[in-house]
Amino acid sequence: MRSRFRFRAWCSALPPAAGGAVMATGVLSIGLELTGHTPLSIAALVVAAALWLVLAGDFTARLIGDRGRFRAEADTPAALTAVAATTVLGARLVPLGWERAAAALLVLAALLWPGLLAAVVLHWRRRMPGAAFLVCVATQGLAVLAASLAAAGYPDWLALAALACFCLGLLLYGVALTRFDFHEVVSGAGDHWVAGGALSITALAGAKLTALPLWTGPAHTALRAATLAALGISLVWYAVLLAAELGSPRHRYDVRRWSTVFPLGMTATACLTAAPVTGVPWLRPLGEVLLWIAVAAWIITFAAFTLSCCRPARRRFPEGGNGADR
């Protein structure tokens, strides 16, 4: 009974940014499957699904029982991890043949997306942390999942919807970039990596769209070019952010570190997916190397999280409050 109470108390203390753990684990599952490591991929999927269920239950409990807190957290960019995590999990289910479950997750994400997106954009400030780019990540997540279902035999209108989300995601990335506080590159607590990860998931969405037979001629060429451009810029971001981490180490655990692991895994997955559809074969070995870097980062972050759970609750979120966006 006491352990159940502690678990509920732990869940109630989770900030919206905890959704990054589902995103990070889910995208690693996708990448591990693409490289033929199926047992590890399934293990990561099980962990991601379990985390998603915990966070979905907590999300529902706050929506029903604590509307004040729910509204306050819905205004923060980290709230959009609910959409992004749902789409990443759905995208992993499609290759397993679980299209109906993936379609249900797409519907759920699509229902959550407009309200959360509007709440976040209406409360944007001039100098935002990297979580601001989640407006792009969540939108491109919808594009990835919709394109994946279209490739699995669902109606072509899903491909058109995916293309619309892809274009909107690009626009939202540009807007978020104008709001991003570039000092976060050297001082951010982890979510500053989303600045590059948002372009990585954009490249993944572009690769999924490029692979669809619906697009031919100039449309196919434009999608291929956009995919490679997004992936190229995301790799530049990767190098810059990595150099900044090495030059200004941030050793203390923060829940936003899961938003570092996610871009690492997403960049690897985007490379692996884009390699065959864009005709750039060297992207695959690059993606394989980046994937294992992401796996190592996941292990380190999980270990840091475990250690943080052994500390007094007041020390887990050093920024104050619940560790969500400033």
Side-chain angles (χ1 to χ4, degrees):
M1 190 70 178
R2 184 176 298 177
S3 61
R4 183 181 299 178
F5 175 78
R6 288 178 179 175
F7 179 72
R8 289 178 179 176
W10 177 77
C11 288
S12 66
L14 288 173
V22 181
M23 297 160 59
T25 311
V27 78
L28 284 184
S29 179
I30 296 173
L32 289 166
E33 177 62 26
L34 290 173
T35 53
H37 298 89
T38 301
L40 287 175
S41 174
I42 295 299
L45 173 60
V46 170
V47 173
L51 289 171
W52 185 88
L53 288 172
V54 169
L55 293 174
D58 186 53
F59 182 94
T60 304
R62 293 180 190 183
L63 176 61
I64 297 173
D66 193 350
R67 297 297 296 273
R69 180 179 175 183
F70 178 84
R71 284 192 294 268
E73 292 181 340
D75 295 342
T76 65
L80 284 166
T81 60
V83 176
T86 301
T87 59
V88 169
L89 183 62
R92 178 62 187 94
L93 296 181
V94 175
L96 293 173
W98 298 351
E99 288 93 351
R100 290 186 179 180
L105 290 175
L106 176 60
V107 171
L108 176 60
L111 289 174
L112 292 173
W113 173 73
L116 291 176
L117 180 67
V120 169
V121 171
L122 289 174
H123 291 85
W124 261 354
R125 304 186 303 274
R126 292 189 62 182
R127 299 178 66 182
M128 296 287 292
F133 292 99
L134 284 168
V135 296
C136 171
V137 173
T139 306
Q140 296 295 7
L142 291 171
V144 169
L145 183 49
S148 298
L149 287 169
Y154 274 63
D156 287 345
W157 66 263
L158 273 177
L160 297 174
L163 180 62
C165 287
F166 176 75
C167 295
L168 178 58
L170 284 171
L171 176 62
L172 288 170
Y173 183 88
V175 176
L177 188 64
T178 65
R179 301 277 181 153
F180 179 53
D181 181 1
F182 282 89
H183 290 96
E184 290 284 305
V185 173
V186 294
S187 63
D191 57 358
H192 55 293
W193 278 82
V194 185
L199 285 175
S200 296
I201 194 172
T202 297
L204 178 60
K208 294 280 187 181
L209 286 166
T210 303
L212 293 175
L214 185 64
W215 318 112
T216 59
H220 180 273
T221 301
L223 282 170
R224 178 181 179 275
T227 298
L228 290 174
L231 185 55
I233 300 173
S234 74
L235 289 171
V236 172
W237 265 114
Y238 192 115
V240 170
L241 292 167
L242 180 59
E245 290 279 356
L246 295 175
S248 180
R250 282 144 272 184
H251 300 298
R252 193 171 185 178
Y253 173 75
D254 188 291
V255 69
R256 286 168 288 184
R257 268 304 177 194
W258 290 109
S259 293
T260 297
V261 182
F262 169 71
L264 294 175
M266 182 55 71
T267 304
T269 300
C271 288
L272 292 167
T273 304
V277 300
T278 60
V280 184
W282 59 263
L283 285 175
R284 181 169 181 84
L286 175 61
E288 291 174 350
V289 172
L290 295 180
L291 178 63
W292 292 113
I293 294 175
V295 170
W298 189 97
I299 293 171
I300 293 170
T301 304
F302 180 76
F305 161 74
T306 303
L307 290 174
S308 75
C309 289
C310 300
R311 299 170 185 166
R314 63 183 175 84
R315 295 183 60 191
R316 292 182 198 170
F317 306 114
E319 289 74 22
N322 61 7
D325 301 281
R326 286 162 287 175

